[in-house]
Amino acid sequence: MSIKSVTSSLTAAEIVEKASGIYEEAVRIRRMIHENPELGFEETKTAEMIADYLKGLGIEVTTGVAKTGVVGLLHGDKEGPVLALRADIDALPIQEKTGVPYQSQNPGVMHACGHDMHTAMLLAAAHVLSQNKQHISGTIKFIFQPAEEMKGGGGVMVDEGVLSNPAVDHAFAFHVWPELATGTYGFRNGAIMASMDSFDVVLKGKQGHGAAPHQGVDAIVGAAHIVTALQTIVSRETDPVDSVVLTIGTIEAGDGYNIIPEKASFRGTVRTLNADTRKKVADSIQRIVEGVASALKLEVEINFNFSVGYPVTINDSTFNEHAAAIAVDLFGEESVQWLSKPSMASEDFAFYLEKVPGTFVFLGVAENPDDPMKLHSDVFLPDEKAMIQGISLIVGIALHTTEKIQ
C-alpha cells in the first residue's frame, strides 16, 4: 500500500504556532486530570469532563464505550479517510510522592504513566482541529480509552466497534517516554512494544512438620525448582536473537517457621516480540510446570491468561514513515530518533493495530534523559513542555491525511 499525503494549507510553522497557543490550556487540563486520577473502568469523572469539553467544541460525542470510554467525531469540510487518534485515560494504584501543588487528591491512585498528558494533548489537538475544519480532508475520530493498565481496555473498545461506524482507515497514538529528551520523538517500523501475557500456578503437596520433612510433600521446594526451571525457556529454548522476558512477580506459601505448607502459588508475566514465540513460550511453561511438579509429587493447576493478554504492538511501516516525515517537517531532522530495538513493555494500542494500519510513537519527556524518571514511579513527572511537540504532531497528522483505504 502506498500513501499519498493530502497537503494541508497550514504550514508547519502555523501548526506549531497553534499548538503553542493552546499549550497553557493543555497544561490546565493535564493538571486537573492529574489531581483527580481514576483507575481503569472507573474513570467516570474523567470521562464526563472529556465529553463536556468535546461537546463544547461542537464535536459529535458518544459515551459509555467500554463502560467509561468516550469517542468524538469531527467531520472535515473535504472528503477523505477516517483517522483514529487515541489517548488512554486511566491512572495507577500508586500513592503519589511528587509533592507538586496539583498532586493526586485520590489516596492511593496516581497518574504515574503519563495518561493525563496523553488525554490533555488529544483534547488540545481536538480544540485546534475543531477551529480548522476547512483544512481537514475526511473524518477525525478522537478515542479516549479506559483501562490501558493491565485491563485491556483497548481490546474491549475494539470489540465494541470503536473502529467502525465510520470505519477507520488509519490509527495513531503515542506514549510519553522518559528515556527520550523533550523535543524528540521515537519511531520504529514493525514491532515497537512487546506482547504481554500472564499466568498463575498453584501447587498442592502435603503438609508436614519441619522436623519430619519426609512425611510431607513440600510445595515451597517445588515452587523454587519450577521458578528456576522456567528461566531456561529464556536461556535455553529461545533463539538468542529473539527476545523473551519471563518474570515471576509474586510467590506465596506457608504461615509458620516449622510447618511444611500444603500449598504454594506464584504468578508471572511473559513478554515476546512475535506470535510464534508467544505460543511456544506458553507451551513450554505448561510442559515445565507440569513436569517438575510431577517429579516432585505435587499436584498442579495452571491458569493462563494469554487470551486476554496484549499482542505485540506492530507499526505499519508506510504510515509510520508518513508520520515521521510530518514530525521532521514540524521540528527538523534532529527531532526524530529511529529506535534500533523495541521496548519489552507492552501497550494495548496493539489491539487497534491488529485491525487497521497505523503507528505508535514515543514522545520524549525527559529534561535529563541520562537519568530519567521511570514510568510507574511514585515521583514520575513528565516534562509538560513536550506537549507542544505532541499536540503539533497530532494536528499535523490530522491535517496531512492519507488516501482512504479501498
Side-chain angles (χ1 to χ4, degrees):
M1 179 193 71
S2 63
I3 280 187
K4 179 181 178 182
S5 178
V6 178
T7 303
S8 167
S9 57
L10 290 180
T11 66
E14 288 171 329
I15 291 172
V16 175
E17 182 181 6
K18 290 182 181 298
S20 300
I22 198 75
Y23 170 70
E24 293 299 333
E25 172 78 349
V27 169
R28 182 191 67 80
I29 295 170
R30 183 254 166 168
R31 293 185 179 186
M32 177 175 61
I33 296 170
H34 190 91
E35 194 171 0
N36 299 280
E38 296 173 296
L39 298 175
F41 296 124
E42 299 175 10
E43 312 95 328
T44 53
K45 293 181 180 178
T46 305
E48 182 179 357
M49 182 276 294
I50 291 167
D52 288 345
Y53 192 90
L54 294 176
K55 290 174 183 176
L57 300 175
I59 292 174
E60 179 184 333
V61 174
T62 301
T63 60
V65 185
K67 190 175 180 180
T68 48
V70 179
V71 178
L73 278 181
L74 178 63
H75 302 284
D77 288 352
K78 307 169 188 176
E79 290 296 320
V82 178
L83 172 67
L85 302 169
R86 173 272 206 171
D88 36 17
I89 66 175
D90 57 320
L92 285 155
I94 293 174
Q95 180 62 46
E96 183 168 357
K97 297 180 181 179
T98 62
V100 294
Y102 52 92
Q103 180 167 302
S104 170
Q105 298 302 302
N106 188 354
V109 183
M110 176 190 174
H111 272 292
C113 201
H115 298 186
D116 51 342
M117 191 176 284
H118 301 165
T119 302
M121 286 186 289
L122 189 53
L123 286 172
H127 193 147
V128 172
L129 291 167
S130 70
Q131 296 177 337
N132 290 273
K133 290 172 56 179
Q134 71 276 21
H135 301 304
I136 298 175
S137 297
T139 298
I140 309 300
K141 182 177 281 191
F142 302 97
I143 299 173
F144 295 87
Q145 177 215 298
E148 189 278 330
E149 298 289 356
M150 295 295 292
K151 296 182 180 180
V156 181
M157 294 285 277
V158 171
D159 289 344
E160 293 193 9
V162 75
L163 298 176
S164 304
N165 302 314
V168 169
D169 291 289
H170 294 98
F172 172 80
F174 50 38
H175 202 294
V176 299
W177 209 246
E179 296 177 23
L180 293 173
T182 299
T184 62
Y185 307 97
F187 283 87
R188 191 174 196 276
N189 289 333
I192 188 169
M193 299 188 81
S195 65
M196 191 282 295
D197 300 293
S198 61
F199 60 93
D200 300 75
V201 175
V202 178
L203 300 168
K204 183 178 180 181
K206 181 180 179 182
Q207 190 181 70
H209 194 285
H214 62 291
Q215 295 176 352
V217 177
D218 196 331
I220 287 181
V221 169
H225 276 282
I226 293 171
V227 168
T228 301
L230 286 174
Q231 292 304 323
T232 64
I233 297 173
V234 178
S235 65
R236 290 296 178 268
E237 297 189 23
T238 302
D239 187 326
V241 298
D242 196 358
S243 294
V244 172
V245 177
L246 194 158
T247 301
I248 305 302
T250 67
I251 185 165
E252 299 173 350
D255 54 13
Y257 288 98
N258 62 344
I259 301 171
I260 293 172
E262 177 187 34
K263 289 185 178 181
S265 63
F266 59 87
R267 294 180 291 178
T269 60
V270 177
R271 299 171 188 272
T272 66
L273 291 174
N274 66 71
D276 289 342
T277 302
R278 189 182 185 194
K279 174 65 168 60
K280 289 176 183 176
V281 170
D283 293 342
S284 294
I285 290 173
Q286 182 150 0
R287 185 192 76 245
I288 289 172
V289 170
E290 291 179 347
V292 175
S294 176
L296 298 177
K297 300 187 292 185
L298 292 160
E299 298 177 21
V300 63
E301 178 183 342
I302 309 173
N303 295 311
F304 289 104
N305 301 311
F306 282 25
S307 61
V308 295
Y310 292 7
V312 181
T313 304
I314 300 177
N315 287 336
D316 175 77
S317 297
T318 305
F319 191 80
N320 191 49
E321 291 171 11
H322 167 74
I326 293 170
V328 169
D329 192 38
L330 289 167
F331 293 103
E333 293 279 357
E334 67 281 359
S335 71
V336 171
Q337 295 191 24
W338 286 96
L339 307 175
S340 61
K341 57 185 179 181
S343 168
M344 295 306 290
S346 58
E347 165 60 54
D348 75 354
F349 190 63
F351 289 109
Y352 301 78
L353 296 181
E354 281 191 320
K355 301 297 184 182
V356 298
T359 192
F360 191 73
V361 177
F362 294 154
L363 177 67
V365 292
E367 294 181 278
N368 180 11
D370 293 329
D371 185 24
M373 292 184 178
K374 298 298 183 182
L375 296 172
H376 294 204
S377 161
D378 57 10
V379 293
F380 180 64
L381 279 177
D383 185 358
E384 290 178 326
K385 294 190 297 294
M387 289 198 288
I388 294 175
Q389 278 76 23
I391 297 164
S392 296
L393 186 56
I394 296 173
V395 172
I397 290 173
L399 295 180
H400 292 79
T401 50
T402 59
E403 291 180 306
K404 187 170 181 64
I405 297 175
Q406 303 297 324

